[in-house]
Amino acid sequence: MHKKKVDHHLSELIYPRKNKKHLVLGKKPTEEAVLLQSNDYLAISNHDTIRNAQIDALIKTDKEVVMSAIFLHKDGEKDSFEQQLASFTGYEHCILSQSGWAANIGLIQTIIPANTPVYIDFFAHMSLWEGARTANAAIHSFLHNNVKHLEKMIKKHGPGLILVDSVYSTLGTIAPITEIVAIAKKYGCATVVDESHSLGTHGLNGSGLVAELGLSKDVDFITVSLAKSFAYRAGAILCSDKVGQCFPFVAHPAIFSSALLPHEVEVLTATLDLIKKCDQRRKQLFSQTSKLKNGLEELGFRIQSQSQIIALETGSEARTEVIRDLLEADNIFGSVFCQPATPKNRNLIRFSVNSSLSDDDIGKILLACDKVRRVLNK
């Protein structure tokens, strides 16, 4: 039975491609390539401050016990990374997790009973969907960023939990968080906003969109992957003290996976300090994003982005393969998004802009995209 399933995957995903690899795998980038695949939006992953913090933390650490977070005693840690991040975003409590994926699954499993109505944006991250499934919720999807459709669903099915991203990782669109919070209050719903792609880039000192909108006291939970602007491998939940007290003893990702090690938390602390000082990088990020977006629109591309994530909607697998190869032939490397990240035949190539992208780089991207447009319009 398993052989049939494996053969099906291979025949669907691997064998049809020209290079006999998955669609997301084209050429290997050269050193001269313009890389638009990383979510390191502030271009800090190789920053000396972070490197030195990691080296120092490893050198001074005598012993690190690898164990589940359920056994950790954190009483009295007044200036911990968790407390700093909670204060930074305007929440009472912060829970560190192994990833943004673990944060979303653990949180949703912890806070809702089975069969609770969950209202989820169609383009919300897969970890939010998986969290709702893990919690045995009654899942109701609403049209992307369509507040009227959300309200209609709540009227029909009753109060529950609303799940959205602040910045959507596929199209780069931004959720109407203010309107969603108003609806949540009106109908007695709780809200979870995944700020993975806005913490560090948006808001005062990078404190995120929820904080920028003054909604930290109105949005019940924020979740975040720290593998984006923080350029690390971790996740976090911003919540109330009560949720923080019970989470380690209820959430399966917290119970059955080892916690982050102390030296890793020290790296995150140094990164948070750096991010707060990155106003110039944030300014540069959005300046370059605007230039690229405007250039693509002038070429005739339909761009829905409202953020540093810019997507070329490429359609079918075959068409996406052609566009990917044309771009990579000109040393432009974006990320291919296909099933299960997007619906079938609604593939896209995502350009993740970062603050180190130069005007020359933007010129190269636009030249390559113009070539794509001319070839496909023949």
Side-chain angles (χ1 to χ4, degrees):
M1 185 180 294
H2 73 278
K3 290 182 180 178
K4 270 190 172 182
K5 187 85 180 274
V6 170
D7 287 343
H8 169 76
H9 292 322
L10 291 171
S11 63
E12 284 284 311
L13 303 174
I14 310 297
Y15 297 153
R17 307 277 69 85
K18 293 174 189 174
N19 62 4
K20 297 297 181 269
K21 296 180 182 179
H22 193 280
L23 185 61
V24 303
L25 298 174
K27 289 170 58 180
K28 286 187 178 179
T30 65
E31 286 192 10
E32 296 76 33
V34 179
L35 289 175
L36 300 162
Q37 298 169 322
S38 170
N39 294 321
D40 177 17
Y41 300 124
L42 301 177
I44 61 173
S45 59
N46 293 317
H47 197 284
D48 285 345
T49 297
I50 297 173
R51 279 185 171 180
N52 292 336
Q54 189 160 24
I55 292 167
D56 291 345
L58 286 167
I59 289 172
K60 75 180 185 183
T61 299
D62 260 346
K63 189 175 182 181
E64 293 186 319
V65 180
V66 181
M67 60 184 178
S68 166
I70 198 171
F71 300 113
L72 294 177
H73 295 269
K74 294 195 171 186
D75 298 337
E77 295 183 14
K78 293 182 179 178
D79 197 33
S80 66
F81 171 74
E82 292 95 323
Q83 288 187 330
Q84 289 182 47
L85 189 59
S87 176
F88 183 51
T89 53
Y91 282 78
E92 287 182 347
H93 197 96
C94 171
I95 305 163
L96 272 181
S97 66
Q98 301 85 352
S99 65
W101 179 275
N104 278 330
I105 291 177
L107 173 65
I108 298 168
Q109 175 222 327
T110 298
I111 62 175
I112 62 169
N115 301 315
T116 299
V118 165
Y119 304 99
I120 183 167
D121 188 289
F122 182 78
F123 280 111
H125 194 269
M126 186 58 72
S127 57
L128 291 170
W129 287 89
E130 192 63 27
R133 279 192 283 265
T134 300
N136 294 313
I139 301 172
H140 306 285
S141 174
F142 62 93
L143 298 172
H144 180 51
N145 279 349
N146 191 318
V147 177
K148 288 184 178 178
H149 189 221
L150 169 61
E151 185 171 18
K152 183 179 177 182
M153 299 289 280
I154 296 172
K155 283 181 178 179
K156 182 177 180 181
H157 301 288
L161 182 67
I162 301 172
L163 306 177
V164 297
D165 293 5
S166 54
V167 172
Y168 285 89
S169 61
T170 47
L171 298 175
T173 46
I174 292 177
I177 302 172
T178 301
E179 292 88 341
I180 288 169
V181 165
I183 286 177
K185 284 186 171 182
K186 182 177 179 181
Y187 294 100
C189 294
T191 49
V192 175
V193 177
D194 186 319
E195 283 234 62
S196 295
H197 295 276
S198 56
L199 185 67
T201 55
H202 294 68
L204 180 65
N205 299 325
S207 55
L209 263 174
V210 171
E212 181 178 353
L213 294 168
L215 295 172
S216 299
K217 295 190 185 308
D218 299 298
V219 170
D220 298 279
F221 306 95
I222 285 176
T223 57
V224 60
S225 164
L226 299 176
K228 318 302 180 191
S229 292
F230 275 74
Y232 208 67
R233 300 293 300 174
I237 300 161
L238 289 311
C239 59
S240 68
D241 282 333
K242 283 187 175 181
V243 172
Q245 286 175 33
C246 70
F247 182 91
F249 311 100
V250 178
H252 290 178
I255 297 169
F256 297 108
S257 292
S258 294
L260 295 180
L261 297 173
H263 81 265
E264 296 178 298
V265 180
E266 289 200 36
V267 174
L268 289 171
T269 304
T271 304
L272 176 59
D273 289 341
L274 177 62
I275 282 174
K276 291 176 181 178
K277 302 169 186 171
C278 280
D279 283 348
Q280 186 55 43
R281 289 178 187 245
R282 279 183 281 275
K283 183 178 177 182
Q284 177 74 359
L285 171 66
F286 288 110
S287 171
Q288 299 308 84
T289 296
S290 182
K291 290 175 188 176
L292 179 55
K293 180 184 174 185
N294 292 340
L296 289 168
E297 288 175 338
E298 286 173 11
L299 290 175
F301 287 93
R302 176 175 173 260
I303 304 297
Q304 298 187 54
S305 171
Q306 301 165 287
S307 68
Q308 71 277 12
I309 296 168
I310 297 175
L312 301 183
E313 297 174 52
T314 54
S316 69
E317 281 77 7
R319 180 181 170 90
T320 301
E321 186 175 22
V322 169
I323 295 172
R324 179 203 69 193
D325 290 348
L326 286 169
L327 290 171
E328 291 182 357
D330 282 336
N331 250 349
I332 307 300
F333 287 78
S335 300
V336 174
F337 274 48
C338 53
Q339 282 188 302
T342 63
K344 187 170 177 62
N345 292 322
R346 292 183 62 183
N347 300 333
L348 56 88
I349 294 177
R350 185 179 78 178
F351 294 159
S352 293
V353 181
N354 68 73
S355 63
S356 69
L357 198 69
S358 68
D359 288 348
D360 185 50
D361 292 332
I362 291 172
K364 291 176 183 177
I365 297 164
L366 293 175
L367 279 174
C369 288
D370 188 36
K371 185 184 292 185
V372 166
R373 181 185 60 82
R374 286 185 281 108
V375 167
L376 292 177
N377 287 343
K378 279 184 179 179

